[in-house]
Amino acid sequence: MKIRADIAELLHAGLSDRAIARQLSVDAKRTVRPAREALGLPRSRPGRKPAPTVEDLFWRRTQPVDGGHLLWTGARGAASQGRCPFLRHGGRVHTAYRIAFRIKHGREPEGRVTPTCDRDGCVAPDHVEDRRIRERTKSTFDAIFGAVSQ
């Protein structure tokens, strides 16, 4: 049996027969299923595929809006905990702010990660900072304008 290269590629990528049939406008039972059997690939599991990385899951839970903001559409913590956006991946709970920080800076954040913009629900990687960045910003501000006595 001759198998189309695009069908084989999508089968190896883990897509379901129906998803491939929709994408390529072919019949799932007459074209995709025989190709899957000929390649010796198991049938795909029904349902949504889990995100391979926490960063992929982060991008699934966000929506870009005007002004460079990225609104969180996923779950939020309890009101007593500040309604912090979070997600679960790999059996762990991650805050959206910490993931955004890792995406932007490529390192683990130090201390608490906080948003720098006033837009409610914004988790844009450009709009978060950790303790190290806050301290550096404060020391730079103090060096330019002088320390403000409290």
Side-chain angles (χ1 to χ4, degrees):
M1 170 183 188
K2 184 171 172 134
I3 301 170
R4 287 176 41 180
D6 53 352
I7 293 175
E9 180 181 348
L10 294 173
L11 284 168
H12 285 293
L15 271 69
S16 69
D17 294 353
R18 287 178 60 190
I20 295 170
R22 267 190 307 250
Q23 187 172 339
L24 300 177
S25 300
V26 297
D27 184 75
K29 291 181 181 176
R30 285 189 277 164
T31 308
V32 182
R33 187 179 296 164
R36 180 182 295 280
E37 291 170 358
L39 291 170
L41 297 173
R43 293 184 66 189
S44 63
R45 285 197 206 138
R48 190 171 192 153
K49 305 290 184 246
T53 66
V54 71
E55 288 81 8
D56 291 334
L57 191 55
F58 171 86
W59 292 115
R60 286 185 191 177
R61 304 274 195 281
T62 58
Q63 176 183 2
V65 294
D66 294 338
H69 298 287
L70 198 61
L71 291 185
W72 183 251
T73 60
R76 288 176 160 246
S80 63
Q81 298 172 347
R83 307 272 308 139
C84 183
F86 74 94
L87 55 85
R88 288 184 174 88
H89 184 270
R92 295 185 55 203
V93 175
H94 306 268
T95 69
Y97 298 133
R98 292 182 78 81
I99 297 166
F101 185 88
R102 282 197 309 262
I103 290 169
K104 170 70 177 175
H105 298 282
R107 66 173 174 87
E108 285 297 319
E110 293 178 14
R112 186 174 180 190
V113 178
T114 58
T116 58
C117 67
D118 293 331
R119 179 82 184 243
D120 186 41
C122 179
V123 293
D126 290 334
H127 299 180
V128 294
E129 60 185 17
D130 69 343
R131 183 183 64 231
R132 182 194 304 179
I133 294 173
R134 282 191 301 274
E135 289 172 355
R136 188 174 1 167
T137 303
K138 183 182 180 319
S139 65
T140 303
F141 184 85
D142 290 347
I144 295 170
F145 299 107
V148 177
S149 60
Q150 294 182 357

